[in-house]
Amino acid sequence: MANLNLNRISRVLTDQEMQDLKQQLDNCQQILSFLTELDSKERKMLKRINLDHHHFVQETLAVMNYVDLPLPPHIGADEIAKDLALYEQLQQLIIQVEQLLKRLKDSAALVGSEAYGQSSLVYHLLAALANSSLPGYATAYERLQVCFKKYGRKSDQQQTEE
């Protein structure tokens, strides 16, 4: 495992990069404007497609090419084929988006941990300097102490109190 105590990511997105990324995400949402949201009840009622069901749908399409069935107008090979094609396309996008989301979450967790860990180090260093009666450090330590006691991790607080 890599050393998590190092500053592995040292980067800030520029305002332009952030704006470009948000614009690209907006563009994706516009292209995919047909996407829908389901409530939990609707989600539970759906028949889920898996590999076997996928094969079943493909076979159904093949059969519908040579068998004339009396079906309502909203059901037909064209609609089934479109739904299956879109399902396959969305699955490809889901894989990419999930990979990106995992990396976004992992990176955010890492840089947040780096920021907190380094801040904690500064806090503990200020505590030592303030306790040594060197001038100028007590005020800075007291300022951080208020936040640290309120927001710091329990294990850090216990170490400070010991």
Side-chain angles (χ1 to χ4, degrees):
M1 183 168 93
N3 186 346
L4 294 178
N5 295 322
L6 299 175
N7 195 15
R8 290 176 48 190
I9 299 176
S10 181
R11 173 84 154 72
V12 175
L13 295 172
T14 65
D15 290 342
Q16 185 62 51
E17 288 171 327
M18 200 60 188
Q19 185 178 342
D20 291 348
L21 285 167
K22 287 181 177 182
Q23 182 61 53
Q24 289 179 26
L25 290 172
D26 287 343
N27 291 344
C28 287
Q29 288 191 32
Q30 287 175 357
I31 292 169
L32 299 170
S33 62
F34 59 85
L35 295 179
T36 189
E37 290 185 36
L38 302 172
D39 62 33
S40 59
K41 185 177 179 182
E42 290 173 312
R43 206 172 289 115
K44 286 179 185 176
M45 291 175 48
L46 290 177
K47 291 177 173 75
R48 302 295 173 135
I49 192 167
N50 59 27
L51 190 58
D52 292 333
H53 297 148
H54 188 272
H55 181 71
F56 170 72
V57 173
Q58 289 174 320
E59 287 299 310
T60 300
L61 286 170
V63 166
M64 290 178 79
N65 282 331
Y66 66 85
V67 174
D68 189 23
L69 297 170
L71 295 170
H74 68 281
I75 298 175
D78 289 345
E79 281 303 315
I80 294 171
K82 281 178 16 183
D83 286 345
L84 184 61
L86 182 59
Y87 170 80
E88 291 167 350
Q89 291 170 330
L90 292 176
Q91 286 301 110
Q92 290 175 32
L93 294 174
I94 288 167
I95 290 168
Q96 283 188 284
V97 169
E98 283 178 341
Q99 289 171 348
L100 176 61
L101 182 59
K102 182 183 183 313
R103 291 182 72 183
L104 284 169
K105 286 181 175 183
D106 287 350
S107 296
L110 178 61
V111 296
S113 177
E114 288 176 356
Y116 180 80
Q118 292 173 30
S119 295
S120 182
L121 177 73
V122 168
Y123 171 75
H124 291 293
L125 179 60
L126 280 172
L129 291 169
N131 286 334
S132 69
S133 300
L134 290 171
Y137 294 109
T139 304
Y141 170 70
E142 289 167 5
R143 179 176 173 181
L144 291 183
Q145 187 179 34
V146 171
C147 291
F148 191 79
K149 285 190 175 192
K150 187 173 182 180
Y151 302 115
R153 291 190 311 193
K154 297 289 184 219
S155 62
D156 286 339
Q157 289 175 14
Q158 289 169 353
Q159 290 173 0
T160 303
E161 292 169 1
E162 292 173 357

